[in-house]
Amino acid sequence: MPLCGNHDEPEKLPTGHPFKAAEKAVQRLDLEDMVILGFNNSKRIITKTQIEILKCTLCEGKPVLIAMHIPIMTENGNDYYFLDYEGCPDENRMFVNLIKENADKVIAVTCGHLHYSSVAELCPGVTQYVSSQGLTGSLSIYEIGENE
């Protein structure tokens, strides 16, 4: 599931290119035991349509893993690095609140955008995992769930 980053321009890719799907507002991958939703928030904006898709998916009963580029929050005080910033659109805050209100249905939130790895609790029961961009020769691997 390719996701847009703030430097990507999938609209310039030729038709049929595997990363062309990244320009969709939401991508969905249905697995046996969960749903993965990939949100295009590369411009630091969440839309009403994205919120409605998340609401509907949360009502289906399967746990949801959320993937997107811009993190919801970070320990860095610079608001360029997160989605819930001063003066952000109301939809951004509605999206964040929807995740927090449905913490029992959200497995985790995975993101990129930062140039370092970060793990933070968004609310009790929901962790946000941010991977480094990989250009520094590092790779972040997170195991989410119980080890067997």
Side-chain angles (χ1 to χ4, degrees), residues 3-145:
L3 296 173
C4 278
N6 54 305
H7 297 286
D8 297 323
E9 297 176 324
E11 65 278 359
K12 293 183 179 180
L13 294 171
T15 302
H17 192 284
F19 290 154
K20 191 77 170 156
E23 70 183 334
K24 292 180 183 176
V26 181
Q27 296 178 68
R28 180 181 171 128
L29 178 61
D30 286 285
L31 301 173
E32 187 176 319
D33 57 349
M34 75 168 131
V35 175
I36 300 174
L37 290 179
F39 291 90
N40 180 350
N41 72 345
S42 60
K43 307 287 188 220
R44 296 177 55 213
I45 295 171
I46 293 293
T47 66
K48 289 179 183 177
T49 299
Q50 290 172 313
I51 291 168
E52 286 306 312
I53 290 171
L54 177 57
K55 276 183 189 177
C56 290
T57 304
L58 289 167
C59 289
E60 292 174 10
K62 276 189 178 180
V64 178
L65 177 69
I66 297 171
M68 56 193 183
H69 184 66
I70 308 292
I72 290 174
M73 50 75 72
T74 68
E75 66 278 0
N76 183 323
N78 183 339
D79 70 4
Y80 172 73
Y81 294 103
F82 53 94
L83 188 63
D84 190 6
Y85 55 92
E86 183 71 31
C88 71
D90 290 341
E91 289 80 5
N92 287 20
R93 291 218 165 88
M94 290 169 60
F95 182 81
V96 172
N97 289 335
L98 184 59
I99 291 169
K100 290 178 179 181
E101 291 164 3
N102 290 277
D104 60 324
K105 300 172 187 163
V106 177
I107 297 169
V109 177
T110 62
C111 308
H113 191 57
L114 305 180
H115 293 209
Y116 57 90
S117 297
S118 171
V119 177
E121 186 178 62
L122 295 177
C123 65
V126 179
T127 302
Q128 173 183 267
Y129 298 90
V130 182
S131 293
S132 175
Q133 80 279 21
L135 298 175
T136 59
S138 66
L139 176 65
S140 300
I141 299 175
Y142 301 105
E143 289 187 26
I144 301 171

